[in-house]
Amino acid sequence: SCVVNFTLYATDANNNVKQNSTLITVADRTAPVVNTSLNKSLTNIQQNDVINLTANVTDGIGLSFGQIIVNDTGFVRYFNFSLDGATRAEFSQNITISCAAGCIINFTARVNDTSGNFRTNDTIVTVTANQAPVIKLNNATGFVVWPLAGGSSIILISFNVTDAQGVSDINASKAIV
């Protein structure tokens, strides 16, 4: 966005001088840079997850406008951010995943600079299914108890539970025998 002044002089044989000046403005044609990140792995996004999309943007001249667009199988949401001419900025948005397993979501971050150049960054994910936990009974082999008539016997049952979504997805209070 700088201005260049070209000035030309011409002198004839009689020492007559003529001057002509031309001003040109160098246009900014460089698009801003936008990098995005999600707070969760792209391969483990599930229904009801809260996903935070963060965009880090830069421009050599100045940023004017940022936008996050979420398109989950035809349902499109727009979130707009004013960037006030800064050369570096960050904007983010929390999005609750409302569609079920198999749904494809396109997260787009878009940024415009003060010269009208823009750039987008797309992240496409498929919503995964929540898998059932795996239960392994530890003391099932050769385990026999013979209670006495009118009496009682203590039985120890030991098992391990694992879950592909992590330990926070296991509700231990629901483990019943």
PDB file of all heavy atoms in Angstrom, residues 126-139:
ATOM      1  N   THR A 126     -15.676 -36.490  10.331  1.00  0.00           N
ATOM      2  CA  THR A 126     -16.859 -37.354  10.370  1.00  0.00           C
ATOM      3  C   THR A 126     -17.123 -37.693  11.830  1.00  0.00           C
ATOM      4  O   THR A 126     -16.219 -38.129  12.547  1.00  0.00           O
ATOM      5  CB  THR A 126     -16.627 -38.641   9.559  1.00  0.00           C
ATOM      6  OG1 THR A 126     -16.322 -38.290   8.213  1.00  0.00           O
ATOM      7  CG2 THR A 126     -17.861 -39.538   9.588  1.00  0.00           C
ATOM      8  N   VAL A 127     -18.365 -37.489  12.274  1.00  0.00           N
ATOM      9  CA  VAL A 127     -18.742 -37.787  13.654  1.00  0.00           C
ATOM     10  C   VAL A 127     -18.694 -39.301  13.842  1.00  0.00           C
ATOM     11  O   VAL A 127     -19.234 -40.059  13.041  1.00  0.00           O
ATOM     12  CB  VAL A 127     -20.141 -37.220  13.986  1.00  0.00           C
ATOM     13  CG1 VAL A 127     -20.579 -37.610  15.381  1.00  0.00           C
ATOM     14  CG2 VAL A 127     -20.148 -35.706  13.810  1.00  0.00           C
ATOM     15  N   THR A 128     -18.014 -39.742  14.922  1.00  0.00           N
ATOM     16  CA  THR A 128     -17.859 -41.169  15.182  1.00  0.00           C
ATOM     17  C   THR A 128     -18.896 -41.639  16.202  1.00  0.00           C
ATOM     18  O   THR A 128     -19.467 -40.838  16.938  1.00  0.00           O
ATOM     19  CB  THR A 128     -16.446 -41.485  15.728  1.00  0.00           C
ATOM     20  OG1 THR A 128     -16.248 -40.770  16.941  1.00  0.00           O
ATOM     21  CG2 THR A 128     -15.377 -41.117  14.729  1.00  0.00           C
ATOM     22  N   ALA A 129     -19.097 -42.948  16.235  1.00  0.00           N
ATOM     23  CA  ALA A 129     -20.033 -43.538  17.192  1.00  0.00           C
ATOM     24  C   ALA A 129     -19.320 -43.759  18.516  1.00  0.00           C
ATOM     25  O   ALA A 129     -18.137 -44.082  18.558  1.00  0.00           O
ATOM     26  CB  ALA A 129     -20.571 -44.858  16.661  1.00  0.00           C
ATOM     27  N   ASN A 130     -20.066 -43.612  19.590  1.00  0.00           N
ATOM     28  CA  ASN A 130     -19.540 -43.905  20.914  1.00  0.00           C
ATOM     29  C   ASN A 130     -19.575 -45.418  21.090  1.00  0.00           C
ATOM     30  O   ASN A 130     -20.630 -46.033  21.046  1.00  0.00           O
ATOM     31  CB  ASN A 130     -20.383 -43.211  21.984  1.00  0.00           C
ATOM     32  CG  ASN A 130     -19.763 -43.298  23.348  1.00  0.00           C
ATOM     33  OD1 ASN A 130     -18.842 -44.057  23.576  1.00  0.00           O
ATOM     34  ND2 ASN A 130     -20.289 -42.517  24.269  1.00  0.00           N
ATOM     35  N   GLN A 131     -18.416 -46.021  21.295  1.00  0.00           N
ATOM     36  CA  GLN A 131     -18.334 -47.469  21.407  1.00  0.00           C
ATOM     37  C   GLN A 131     -18.644 -47.921  22.826  1.00  0.00           C
ATOM     38  O   GLN A 131     -18.354 -47.216  23.792  1.00  0.00           O
ATOM     39  CB  GLN A 131     -16.933 -47.939  21.006  1.00  0.00           C
ATOM     40  CG  GLN A 131     -16.600 -47.584  19.572  1.00  0.00           C
ATOM     41  CD  GLN A 131     -15.131 -47.853  19.261  1.00  0.00           C
ATOM     42  OE1 GLN A 131     -14.406 -48.434  20.060  1.00  0.00           O
ATOM     43  NE2 GLN A 131     -14.705 -47.425  18.087  1.00  0.00           N
ATOM     44  N   ALA A 132     -19.223 -49.100  22.946  1.00  0.00           N
ATOM     45  CA  ALA A 132     -19.545 -49.673  24.260  1.00  0.00           C
ATOM     46  C   ALA A 132     -18.257 -50.041  24.988  1.00  0.00           C
ATOM     47  O   ALA A 132     -17.258 -50.382  24.365  1.00  0.00           O
ATOM     48  CB  ALA A 132     -20.417 -50.912  24.091  1.00  0.00           C
ATOM     49  N   PRO A 133     -18.267 -49.993  26.325  1.00  0.00           N
ATOM     50  CA  PRO A 133     -17.070 -50.395  27.070  1.00  0.00           C
ATOM     51  C   PRO A 133     -16.817 -51.896  26.937  1.00  0.00           C
ATOM     52  O   PRO A 133     -17.709 -52.666  26.600  1.00  0.00           O
ATOM     53  CB  PRO A 133     -17.414 -50.025  28.518  1.00  0.00           C
ATOM     54  CG  PRO A 133     -18.890 -49.956  28.561  1.00  0.00           C
ATOM     55  CD  PRO A 133     -19.356 -49.571  27.192  1.00  0.00           C
ATOM     56  N   VAL A 134     -15.573 -52.296  27.214  1.00  0.00           N
ATOM     57  CA  VAL A 134     -15.176 -53.709  27.184  1.00  0.00           C
ATOM     58  C   VAL A 134     -15.010 -54.159  28.638  1.00  0.00           C
ATOM     59  O   VAL A 134     -14.334 -53.493  29.425  1.00  0.00           O
ATOM     60  CB  VAL A 134     -13.857 -53.889  26.409  1.00  0.00           C
ATOM     61  CG1 VAL A 134     -13.386 -55.335  26.470  1.00  0.00           C
ATOM     62  CG2 VAL A 134     -14.021 -53.423  24.969  1.00  0.00           C
ATOM     63  N   ILE A 135     -15.649 -55.289  28.977  1.00  0.00           N
ATOM     64  CA  ILE A 135     -15.593 -55.816  30.344  1.00  0.00           C
ATOM     65  C   ILE A 135     -14.846 -57.143  30.317  1.00  0.00           C
ATOM     66  O   ILE A 135     -15.174 -58.030  29.531  1.00  0.00           O
ATOM     67  CB  ILE A 135     -17.014 -56.017  30.916  1.00  0.00           C
ATOM     68  CG1 ILE A 135     -17.769 -54.690  30.888  1.00  0.00           C
ATOM     69  CG2 ILE A 135     -16.945 -56.605  32.319  1.00  0.00           C
ATOM     70  CD1 ILE A 135     -19.242 -54.830  31.181  1.00  0.00           C
ATOM     71  N   LYS A 136     -13.836 -57.280  31.182  1.00  0.00           N
ATOM     72  CA  LYS A 136     -13.078 -58.518  31.294  1.00  0.00           C
ATOM     73  C   LYS A 136     -13.215 -59.029  32.723  1.00  0.00           C
ATOM     74  O   LYS A 136     -12.790 -58.380  33.666  1.00  0.00           O
ATOM     75  CB  LYS A 136     -11.613 -58.284  30.971  1.00  0.00           C
ATOM     76  CG  LYS A 136     -10.776 -59.549  31.072  1.00  0.00           C
ATOM     77  CD  LYS A 136      -9.299 -59.246  30.835  1.00  0.00           C
ATOM     78  CE  LYS A 136      -8.471 -60.478  31.008  1.00  0.00           C
ATOM     79  NZ  LYS A 136      -8.212 -60.821  32.384  1.00  0.00           N
ATOM     80  N   LEU A 137     -13.846 -60.194  32.856  1.00  0.00           N
ATOM     81  CA  LEU A 137     -14.012 -60.840  34.162  1.00  0.00           C
ATOM     82  C   LEU A 137     -12.698 -61.532  34.506  1.00  0.00           C
ATOM     83  O   LEU A 137     -12.183 -62.334  33.735  1.00  0.00           O
ATOM     84  CB  LEU A 137     -15.166 -61.848  34.112  1.00  0.00           C
ATOM     85  CG  LEU A 137     -15.612 -62.455  35.424  1.00  0.00           C
ATOM     86  CD1 LEU A 137     -16.032 -61.369  36.409  1.00  0.00           C
ATOM     87  CD2 LEU A 137     -16.772 -63.410  35.179  1.00  0.00           C
ATOM     88  N   ASN A 138     -12.112 -61.218  35.665  1.00  0.00           N
ATOM     89  CA  ASN A 138     -10.784 -61.708  36.029  1.00  0.00           C
ATOM     90  C   ASN A 138     -10.783 -63.078  36.695  1.00  0.00           C
ATOM     91  O   ASN A 138      -9.804 -63.806  36.607  1.00  0.00           O
ATOM     92  CB  ASN A 138     -10.077 -60.708  36.954  1.00  0.00           C
ATOM     93  CG  ASN A 138      -9.783 -59.416  36.232  1.00  0.00           C
ATOM     94  OD1 ASN A 138      -9.562 -59.395  35.036  1.00  0.00           O
ATOM     95  ND2 ASN A 138      -9.791 -58.320  36.968  1.00  0.00           N
ATOM     96  N   ASN A 139     -11.847 -63.448  37.407  1.00  0.00           N
ATOM     97  CA  ASN A 139     -11.814 -64.677  38.204  1.00  0.00           C
ATOM     98  C   ASN A 139     -12.901 -65.661  37.786  1.00  0.00           C
ATOM     99  O   ASN A 139     -13.509 -66.293  38.609  1.00  0.00           O
ATOM    100  CB  ASN A 139     -11.931 -64.353  39.692  1.00  0.00           C
ATOM    101  CG  ASN A 139     -13.173 -63.535  39.994  1.00  0.00           C
ATOM    102  OD1 ASN A 139     -13.870 -63.133  39.083  1.00  0.00           O
ATOM    103  ND2 ASN A 139     -13.437 -63.308  41.266  1.00  0.00           N
TER     104      ASN A 139
END
